[in-house]
Amino acid sequence: MLRANTPLRTLALAVLRSYSLIFFSQHRGFAALLLLLSFANPGAGAAGLAAAVLAVGAGWLLGFNREVLATGGHSFNALLVGLALGTFYEPGWAYGLVLLVGALLALLLTVALGGWLAPRGLPPLSLPFLLVIWLLTPAAEQFHALALNERGIYWLNEMYAVGGAPLLHVIHWLNGWHLPLMPDTYLRALSSVFFQDSPLVGLLMAAGLLWHSRIAFSLSIVAFLGAYAFGMATGAYAPGGINHYNLGANYIMAAVAVGGVFVIPSAASYLWALLSVPVTAVLVAGLTTLLARLGLPAFALPFCLTSQLFLYVLLLRQRADWLPLTPIQRYSPERNLYAYTNDRERLQSQLYVHLSLPFLGEWQVTQGYAGQPTHQGEWADALDFMIRDVDGRTYRGPGANLADYYCYNKPVLAPADGVVVEVVSHIDDNPIGQVNTRQNWGNTVVLEHGPGLFSKVSHLRPHSTPVQVGERVRRGDLLGTCGNSGRSAEPHVHFQVQATPYIGSRTLAYPLAYYLSGRGPEAQVRSFRVPAEGETVQNLPPSPLLSQAFDLPPGFRLDVRNPDDEAAPAQRWEVFTDAYNHTYLYCHHSGAVAYFERSTATFSFTAYYGPETTALYFFYRAAYRVLLSYQPQAELLDAFPLTLVRNPALRWAQDVVAPFVRFVRPCFALRCHGADDAYHPRRLQLSSRAELRYFGRVRPLQQAEIELTGGALAGFRVQLPASSSPLRFVCRPVA
């Protein structure tokens, strides 16, 4: 993730993010607002800040995970402990010692519980805070130098001493607000997260929550209204019994957690969040009564138990067709949703073994999935290929002999790396028009590509197979040549994927990774699809220039500078690998990070974190996806995540309805051109464009030109809609 420029900046951001992480956020503006609002009670605000600083500093010195520490993940429980102690106890030496012990204990419990729960797929949430408070509450009775806070009784006198009559008038004016019961209760419930009882603080918190996430805000409203409806239906609220505790933060926080943070937001997740409301209500009522007998507060325990219960049962499912769990936490329901849907659409390379077409050149699918006459029943998901000329004929001359057919004796290749598990090569070819149903599949090779994944090519020429059972082959290795053996009236290649290694196994629907569909200027690049019957297809030949230019191994470094600004220093980009083996480009100048992945056929950026005015951000948008094959006639299309939308009104409107419908689509397109040699280019240009499509309108976001020379990135040029002249960047690899 983001690496700060200095340790001090990292620690300061960790303290700040401790505030927003209470609401599952990394939004700095929201965090700063919460920090200020905590000082609505100055004593509690100071104690919370001190506890967060202590936890962050101790976590750094003890060597705990720096990435987790930077998010506030090790310190937000200490912050809650500080806010609670500052609310309930008077300042003093004893108070300071208890605050120090409480903050450190919260840190240790957060790390310990996190380490225990993480392998089980569960977050510790606020459980460390609760354990510390439950320990300190009875212990405080033994600390006679620790006095309960009585400022609530005399606080108007204290405010008069601070600001005189003008401040007192402001306080009386604020307290004079007469909001309707429901809004007043909702706002007080939000403020109670920071141990306050103020509709004004709650209003500002609600505004901050809306600023951070429209989905989280809407879930908070859904949970609050659901709790009210459940309480009225069950008679839980006696006259005058509706207050910000029994309609409080437990419902809101649980609904946000299970409906939008740890679960990908959707219509189903909103129902899941609504279902959490009655469970939380039972826990609030039951735990409050039980813990009161022990003299302990329930605080956030109902929220923690509801959230962990609802998440744990999802982890135990055998199928996850709906309510998918968040795979990578981005600390925003919108970012989680947009990244998940975008990755599911474009990063299919992570889901499949990359299978290529088992031949060279252009072939046509003469019988596709569920095609007549033989691809039926358990063997429906198979493909037959032949070569046709421009007139649609599969042979030259009269077509009476096997050698007349264009595909006869053409090489048949391994579609991916694998191990040979079955070979048949002794069956004679049939004369044209005749079939051998007794030896249906003819000469065949079966390869194993992984557990439960096999491919099979059939109807090969007799004795053309150079491989043996147990031999390891690479993609593109020769398996045999096209023949007419088995149930084959004329030469063709039969190709199928199956889950078992036997000849005659039932077929398995499985896409081909990358191929070119069509002929000439109309040809289009297809990725992870199954070719249709009648479609002309061929493999994508790799381009050494493109493959070398976008080969960015860990440790690779690149200096990038703007030649139009001689005073600006060069920006150093460097490739790193994180703890999850994900590779990313890191800009030492700005701290920006761009994650990417590279397959045999494409280079793709997957995520960007950092300022949106950097050269790395412009390059991220310019080279969002690059085909590593020179195909000047083909345009590569892709889709950006919705986080690219910067129009506030448009973005917020989409955010509100994002779990249910998408009407905004950020799109990407790229073409190759300007090659100095059509077959073996050493110089090449890539033209890309990023645009926003909504309601039938197209709004350009960026146009870019990328220059490749001698197997390296030489530079790129970016034209923004609001700029009259392009931004230019020159790149130089660093040894």
Side-chain angles (χ1 to χ4, degrees), residues 333-656:
E334 286 82 2
R335 285 185 175 272
N336 288 342
L337 172 60
Y338 298 154
Y340 175 80
T341 54
N342 188 248
D343 289 351
R344 187 177 57 181
E345 291 173 0
R346 67 185 297 260
L347 298 183
Q348 298 186 66
S349 60
Q350 299 175 355
L351 305 178
Y352 299 104
V353 171
H354 292 199
L355 298 182
S356 304
L357 292 163
F359 44 71
L360 300 172
E362 290 184 356
W363 294 55
Q364 188 179 80
V365 181
T366 53
Q367 189 178 179
Y369 278 22
Q372 294 290 343
T374 59
H375 295 178
Q376 300 293 313
E378 293 186 346
W379 303 276
D381 299 324
L383 298 168
D384 285 350
F385 298 98
M386 301 176 71
I387 298 177
R388 292 188 186 275
D389 59 23
V390 292
D391 297 321
R393 290 159 52 95
T394 59
Y395 54 86
R396 62 180 69 85
N401 300 313
L402 293 173
D404 293 340
Y405 286 77
Y406 298 122
C407 65
Y408 185 72
N409 206 30
K410 290 292 189 294
V412 177
L413 312 176
D417 296 355
V419 176
V420 179
V421 294
E422 192 73 67
V423 174
V424 173
S425 63
H426 65 278
I427 302 171
D428 291 334
D429 281 332
N430 305 313
I432 296 300
Q434 297 183 25
V435 295
N436 178 358
T437 56
R438 187 170 57 86
Q439 296 166 308
N440 187 75
W441 301 104
N443 299 310
T444 295
V445 176
V446 180
L447 301 179
E448 181 180 13
H449 304 292
L453 185 68
F454 302 83
S455 67
K456 184 182 78 169
V457 289
S458 296
H459 310 307
L460 305 177
R461 275 189 65 218
H463 309 295
S464 68
T465 301
V467 296
Q468 299 178 352
V469 172
E471 185 175 339
R472 182 170 294 276
V473 296
R474 303 293 301 272
R475 181 191 310 274
D477 284 354
L478 181 67
L479 300 182
T481 60
C482 178
N484 198 41
S485 57
R487 188 177 178 179
S488 176
E490 60 178 291
H492 72 282
V493 171
H494 174 95
F495 175 75
Q496 69 181 53
V497 180
Q498 54 197 50
T500 54
Y502 313 111
I503 295 176
S505 296
R506 63 184 301 175
T507 56
L508 176 69
Y510 207 87
L512 295 171
Y514 296 95
Y515 62 93
L516 204 60
S517 173
R519 283 177 166 164
E522 303 301 321
Q524 292 292 323
V525 176
R526 306 294 188 203
S527 60
F528 297 94
R529 294 191 188 182
V530 175
E533 190 167 311
E535 192 173 349
T536 299
V537 295
Q538 63 176 306
N539 280 314
L540 292 169
S543 164
L545 171 59
L546 286 161
S547 297
Q548 187 176 348
F550 287 93
D551 182 18
L552 307 179
F556 176 82
R557 293 179 296 173
L558 193 71
D559 277 348
V560 181
R561 65 179 182 85
N562 184 349
D564 299 324
D565 187 358
E566 296 294 340
Q571 299 182 22
R572 173 67 55 85
W573 296 356
E574 189 169 356
V575 178
F576 292 93
T577 302
D578 67 11
Y580 303 99
N581 207 32
H582 297 145
T583 313
Y584 61 92
L585 269 171
Y586 171 68
C587 177
H588 288 273
H589 177 75
S590 63
V593 168
Y595 279 85
F596 66 88
E597 70 163 21
R598 188 185 184 279
S599 68
T600 56
T602 61
F603 171 92
S604 302
F605 279 113
T606 57
Y608 175 85
Y609 303 97
E612 296 180 357
T613 55
T614 66
L616 184 57
Y617 179 67
F618 295 134
F619 185 66
Y620 159 79
R621 296 206 303 187
Y624 187 60
R625 194 174 195 181
V626 178
L627 189 68
L628 303 181
S629 175
Y630 179 58
Q631 301 294 330
Q633 80 284 3
E635 185 173 55
L636 182 66
L637 303 177
D638 207 338
F640 287 106
L642 280 168
T643 48
L644 199 71
V645 180
R646 284 294 166 261
N647 182 302
L650 188 64
R651 172 73 178 275
W652 280 38
Q654 177 61 88
D655 288 348
V656 170

Side-chain angles (χ1 to χ4, degrees), residues 64-79:
F64 294 143
N65 187 300
R66 297 289 173 87
E67 289 189 3
V68 177
L69 191 71
T71 66
H74 286 335
S75 50
F76 77 95
N77 276 294
L79 166 62

Side-chain angles (χ1 to χ4, degrees), residues 550 619 622-623 684-687 704-708 713 715-717:
F550 287 93
F619 185 66
L684 187 63
Q685 285 188 329
L686 307 177
S687 295
E705 296 282 340
I706 302 172
E707 297 182 13
L708 307 178
L713 176 64
F716 59 100
R717 185 171 65 251

